[in-house]
């Protein structure tokens, strides 16, 4: 049996990891909630963002945390253009076409990164990756603590955007009733692109928080997007609150599982809890029945 302070440390570190997972899942659930599609290019876009962080650091000397704002803006514009000029027109209003287009984009982006960066695994090599804070008997990773705070702040900003701005009200209107929103003068194509851009901006922020302590290769996004899909379904498809709570919960489960079963088997607990929750509540923790 582990001492209480070890369990407490695992829970705290799990919460901090879970906040970054939640940030990856927020973009995925937002796109699903408005566009009603599953974005299969989500993992590849996260990988692109992580390589962008690496490039800014190596070539321009940008600190990953200072790159958050410019990279988020750049990926918002990139995501907007991707949805407005490629995904939207090529789908012709058919959801199955959109799924195939995003899957194709994922394959294209992954192979472009493979051609450009090979299959090598890269890291920032920053000394800050090993910085810790002593909180009583607990040792807390400083980069994870920063990631936790920034992820919560980003989630709060996203909630404010959706609840207190005209753009947010337009996004919620299109998500609820596309035709009704169109009748009152809202352009659904613009809102779809804005939503996709916000999802990509969330990925850029997540990439800036991940890279100080994680590695990057052309397929690294797939590991995160698998957990993100689990969080989205667990929290409830389309639910912002569900993605945040689900991400924190999954982070704690992974951390405790890693402590009890070892690092390589830590994620087993995620999928066991996921199955149990869906057996009890198929719509997820915050999902509503159709």
């Amino acid at each position: 049996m582990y001492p209480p302070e070890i369990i407490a440390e695992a829970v705290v570190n799990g919460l901090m990891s879970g906040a970054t997972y939640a940030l990856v899942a927020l973009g995925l659930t937002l796109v699903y909630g408005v566009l009603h599609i599953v974005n299969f290019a989500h993992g590849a876009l996260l990988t692109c963002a992580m390589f962008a962080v690496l490039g800014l650091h190596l070539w321009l000397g940008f600190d990953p945390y200072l790159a958050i704002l410019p990279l988020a803006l750049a990926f918002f514009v990139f995501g907007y253009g991707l949805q407005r000029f490629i995904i939207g027109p090529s789908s012709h209003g058919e959801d199955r076409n959109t799924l195939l287009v995003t899957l194709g984009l994922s394959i294209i982006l992954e192979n472009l990164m493979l051609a450009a960066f090979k299959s090598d695994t890269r890291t920032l090599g920053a000394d800050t990756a090993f910085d810790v804070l002593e909180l009583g008997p607990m040792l807390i990773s400083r980069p994870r603590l920063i990631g936790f705070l920034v992820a919560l702040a980003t989630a709060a900003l996203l909630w404010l955007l959706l609840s207190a701005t005209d753009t947010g009200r337009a996004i919620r209107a299109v998500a609820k009733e596309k035709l009704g929103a169109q009748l009152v003068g809202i352009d659904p194509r613009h809102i779809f692109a804005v939503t996709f851009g916000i999802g990509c901006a969330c990925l850029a922020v997540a990439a800036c928080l991940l890279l100080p302590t994680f590695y990057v290769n052309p397929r690294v996004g797939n590991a995160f997007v698998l957990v993100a899909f689990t969080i989205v379904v667990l929290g409830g498809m389309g639910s912002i609150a569900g993605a945040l709570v689900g991400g924190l919960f999954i982070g704690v489960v992974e951390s405790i599982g890693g402590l009890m079963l070892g690092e390589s088997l830590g994620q087993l607990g995620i999928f066991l809890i996921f199955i149990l929750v869906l057996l009890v509540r198929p719509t997820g923790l915050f999902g509503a029945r159709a």
Side-chain angles (χ1 to χ4, degrees), residues 32-161:
Y32 177 83
V34 179
L35 279 69
H36 304 295
I37 62 163
V38 176
N39 176 21
F40 285 117
H42 203 69
L45 289 167
L46 175 61
T47 307
C48 287
M50 293 177 76
F51 272 116
V53 177
L54 182 68
L56 286 174
H57 177 74
L58 294 179
W59 300 327
L60 299 177
F62 263 72
D63 183 278
Y65 301 124
L66 296 180
I68 287 175
L69 185 58
L71 202 63
L73 291 173
F75 266 75
F76 171 81
V77 174
F78 176 62
Y80 183 98
L82 202 60
Q83 163 62 28
R84 189 67 186 264
F85 303 113
I86 297 178
I87 298 174
S90 59
S91 66
H92 301 290
E94 294 285 343
D95 288 350
R96 62 177 177 270
N97 290 350
T98 307
L99 294 175
L100 292 173
V101 171
T102 58
L103 181 60
L105 276 173
S106 174
I107 295 170
I108 291 169
L109 290 173
E110 282 188 5
N111 281 280
L112 285 175
M113 288 183 285
L114 192 60
F117 303 105
K118 310 306 178 188
S119 59
D120 299 337
T121 294
R122 295 171 168 84
T123 63
L124 287 184
D127 294 335
T128 54
F130 304 101
D131 285 352
V132 294
L133 293 173
E134 292 187 25
L135 297 178
M138 295 188 296
L139 295 176
I140 306 300
S141 168
R142 190 188 299 270
R144 286 189 177 185
L145 179 59
I146 294 172
F148 176 76
L149 297 174
V150 173
L152 290 186
T154 304
L157 286 173
L158 183 57
W159 180 81
L160 285 173
L161 172 69

Side-chain angles (χ1 to χ4, degrees), residues 149-239:
L149 297 174
V150 173
L152 290 186
T154 304
L157 286 173
L158 183 57
W159 180 81
L160 285 173
L161 172 69
L162 294 175
S163 61
T165 67
D166 290 339
T167 299
R169 284 186 277 271
I171 289 173
R172 288 187 287 121
V174 171
K176 189 74 175 177
E177 179 51 63
K178 176 183 172 183
L179 181 59
Q182 200 167 4
L183 290 173
V184 298
I186 297 172
D187 181 3
R189 292 177 302 172
H190 172 66
I191 295 302
F192 286 164
V194 167
T195 303
F196 202 90
I198 293 172
C200 289
C202 288
L203 288 178
V205 177
C208 293
L209 301 179
L210 283 169
L211 210 55
T213 59
F214 211 74
Y215 63 87
V216 59
N217 63 44
R219 298 190 182 277
V220 70
N222 294 333
F224 286 99
V225 84
L226 179 61
V227 176
F229 272 118
T230 303
I231 291 169
V232 168
V233 178
L234 181 63
M237 298 291 280
S239 171

